[in-house]
Amino acid sequence: MTRLLLASPHHQDAHSRPFGPLQEKTSMDRNLIYWKRFFCYCLNVLQLDEATLLEKHGFSLTSVQRRSLEQLWRHLQDEDWPEEALEEELLQVSASFWMQRLDADPFTSPLWHFVGVLGIDGESRQFRPAHLFTYVLAGLVYVGRALLGEWAIPTKERVEMEDLGERFAQVRNTWLCKATYSPMGYVLSLLLYGRKIAQETGSRLIVSWSKQGELMYFIGKPIPMDDIRSMVAEMTTDVEDLLWGSLMFKEGEDVRFTIPLASIEDDLTQTRRGKSFIHSNGLAGKEVEMLEDLVSGRRKREFLDKNGQWKWAAIRKYLKLVKKFEELLLLLAHFTGGQPSRGEEITGLRLVNGINRDRNVFVIDGEVVLVTQYHKSLAHFDSPKVIPRFLPGRPGQLMAMYMIYIRPLTDRWEADRWALYDKMSPPSDFIWHGETG
């Protein structure tokens, strides 16, 4: 219940979704940057006396705020000052700015004055339009809730707190709700007003088209569609050349082939862990064919020594080429798979069914389809939309070749490499992945 109340701006009502980490790490980082900038904002004027500060910048620091900032600055410069103590001090100072009662002019508050400065676009020197400012306000609201939530009921003391509910309610009702004489009250009021304005006025066009549809204007810059088509065509050719010239071990003339996708039957309801259409269509185990081609071909000496042991330097070089292939495949999927998806959406695609998530790559009527369930408003409506993206023929073939031939081989080599150190590393469910997942 505490997290539900923390996410709500209303005194008596709880939110339908609990307060917690945001879906995208970039949003978390951006919100943290706002607060770092605020501290720099205050520390930069700390050497000014109150009269000069008010005259030049239009806000003032209370005596408590000034003393706490001066002490914080000394501790930041002290390399021997304990990090844990510094973190606690940062929390206390941060909370003090959110817990400032604003009975008179709110702009005398450093925090509210900082909000006003954030509303100015540094490049255009104009006020930010509503649709470009509300997300900034929402970020500050998130930071304020996180800071005061931790200040009110510290994580280390939370388990043993007997008056947790009362203490949290007192802080929340006084400093975290709308219609209060506090920085949060003013920020929430401005946020609601900004959202109303953004809804009524809309946003400016970033992308527009010529009448013939052959020129796309991005922020006023013309981009010929022929250039985009040529770029995608050349990229597709480059990826195909990389696949057949370096990653596949077939030798001879006219060795390129295509996978008969039309004959693949993909059961979309299959949710068994670690499975995909590959396993139900007799396409599993193709890494054995890859190794047979390698051993019987000219590149055998490149990968195997005289004793038949793997040359790991050559395998590492091969894996780097596979990473390059994966990067280009990501771009092709992004450009050619219909409406471009968000970064978090496309980079989280699964090859096989996971423990609690189904796979995202299917073959439907002879076409490779990327199916996602992520969308921007998921956090608000709690009901993701299913979004299918059909890949064209050549990119679809590249995706299928990667899944059936290349990925099983690299997974096998990765497992063999870890076995040298008596360790196990299960293959990742994801197409684009790193050592951590």
Side-chain angles (χ1 to χ4, degrees), residues 375-394:
H375 68 110
K376 187 175 181 180
S377 56
L378 175 63
H380 298 288
F381 298 103
D382 201 22
S383 56
K385 297 178 181 177
V386 176
I387 307 172
R389 293 181 171 89
F390 290 76
L391 296 182
R394 291 168 67 188

Side-chain angles (χ1 to χ4, degrees), residues 348-360:
L349 297 181
R350 294 175 182 267
L351 293 164
V352 295
N353 296 318
I355 295 177
N356 59 354
R357 290 285 189 276
D358 294 339
R359 58 193 168 104
N360 302 104

Side-chain angles (χ1 to χ4, degrees), residues 8 13 26 48 70 90 115 118 121 150-151 156 192 214 238 248 260 268 336 356 362 368 372 409 416 432:
S8 173
D13 297 332
T26 53
L48 301 178
E70 289 173 346
L90 281 168
V115 171
L118 288 180
D121 189 311
E150 178 63 22
W151 184 88
K156 295 180 180 179
L192 294 174
E214 289 301 315
D238 290 343
M248 298 293 289
L268 307 186
T336 65
N356 59 354
F362 299 86
V368 176
T372 59
L409 177 62
D416 290 346
W432 297 285

Side-chain angles (χ1 to χ4, degrees), residues 104-342:
D105 181 8
F107 281 99
T108 57
S109 160
L111 182 52
W112 184 244
H113 193 275
F114 177 69
V115 171
V117 172
L118 288 180
I120 301 173
D121 189 311
E123 294 184 3
S124 66
R125 298 184 180 181
Q126 295 178 322
F127 289 117
R128 294 180 185 272
H131 70 279
L132 294 179
F133 189 44
T134 50
Y135 72 86
V136 177
L137 296 173
L140 287 172
V141 168
Y142 182 89
V143 170
R145 286 171 174 167
L147 289 171
L148 287 189
E150 178 63 22
W151 184 88
I153 46 175
T155 304
K156 295 180 180 179
E157 306 172 13
R158 203 167 295 168
V159 177
E160 300 178 357
M161 273 190 176
E162 296 181 357
D163 60 341
L164 184 148
E166 293 80 1
R167 181 171 179 177
F168 174 73
Q170 182 180 3
V171 172
R172 176 180 176 274
N173 292 337
T174 306
W175 306 113
L176 287 176
C177 293
K178 65 178 185 178
T180 57
Y181 290 98
S182 66
M184 182 64 76
Y186 281 96
V187 174
L188 286 171
S189 177
L190 185 59
L191 175 59
L192 294 174
Y193 179 68
R195 285 176 174 172
K196 179 66 174 177
I197 296 297
Q199 184 179 8
E200 293 179 351
T201 60
S203 59
R204 296 179 181 177
L205 287 176
I206 295 178
V207 176
S208 59
W209 298 85
S210 64
K211 289 183 178 180
Q212 293 76 21
E214 289 301 315
L215 272 180
M216 179 181 72
Y217 294 91
F218 180 72
I219 317 181
K221 299 179 180 179
I223 302 176
M225 289 304 299
D226 284 340
D227 290 355
I228 297 179
R229 296 188 189 102
S230 298
M231 177 190 69
V232 174
E234 292 174 5
M235 187 186 304
T236 304
T237 301
D238 290 343
V239 181
E240 290 173 340
D241 291 342
L242 176 60
L243 172 67
W244 294 104
S246 300
L247 302 183
M248 298 293 289
F249 300 117
K250 299 287 184 183
E251 296 181 1
E253 297 181 1
D254 196 24
V255 296
R256 299 189 180 190
F257 61 88
T258 58
I259 297 172
L261 297 177
S263 63
I264 291 179
E265 296 181 359
D266 194 354
D267 183 2
L268 307 186
T269 64
Q270 172 61 260
T271 59
R272 186 177 178 183
R273 172 79 170 92
K275 301 298 181 181
S276 70
F277 66 86
I278 295 175
H279 305 85
S280 58
N281 286 272
L283 298 172
K286 291 296 184 180
E287 72 276 12
V288 176
E289 180 181 331
M290 293 275 288
L291 292 173
E292 290 174 350
D293 291 337
L294 172 61
V295 172
S296 62
R298 295 191 304 269
R299 300 179 67 183
K300 175 181 178 180
R301 293 183 179 179
E302 180 184 345
F303 288 87
L304 292 169
D305 61 20
K306 295 180 180 179
N307 299 320
Q309 300 297 316
W310 291 119
K311 294 181 179 179
W312 290 104
I315 291 177
R316 284 193 293 270
K317 182 179 179 181
Y318 180 90
L319 293 176
K320 287 182 179 180
L321 291 176
V322 172
K323 286 298 180 185
K324 180 180 179 181
F325 178 88
E326 291 173 346
E327 291 172 359
L328 293 173
L329 186 62
L330 172 62
L331 289 175
L332 279 180
H334 188 63
F335 284 135
T336 65
Q339 179 70 30
S341 55
R342 295 160 64 85

Side-chain angles (χ1 to χ4, degrees), residues 367-432:
E367 296 184 75
V368 176
V369 186
L370 310 179
V371 179
T372 59
Q373 290 187 328
Y374 175 94
H375 68 110
K376 187 175 181 180
S377 56
L378 175 63
H380 298 288
F381 298 103
D382 201 22
S383 56
K385 297 178 181 177
V386 176
I387 307 172
R389 293 181 171 89
F390 290 76
L391 296 182
R394 291 168 67 188
Q397 280 289 329
L398 288 168
M399 179 66 74
M401 290 293 297
Y402 170 78
M403 293 178 62
I404 296 171
Y405 286 92
I406 305 302
R407 184 58 178 271
L409 177 62
T410 58
D411 284 345
R412 180 166 179 169
W413 271 339
E414 290 285 2
D416 290 346
R417 182 170 67 92
W418 283 105
L420 295 175
Y421 305 98
D422 295 325
K423 295 181 180 180
M424 293 183 62
S425 178
S428 174
D429 297 339
F430 299 94
I431 300 176
W432 297 285

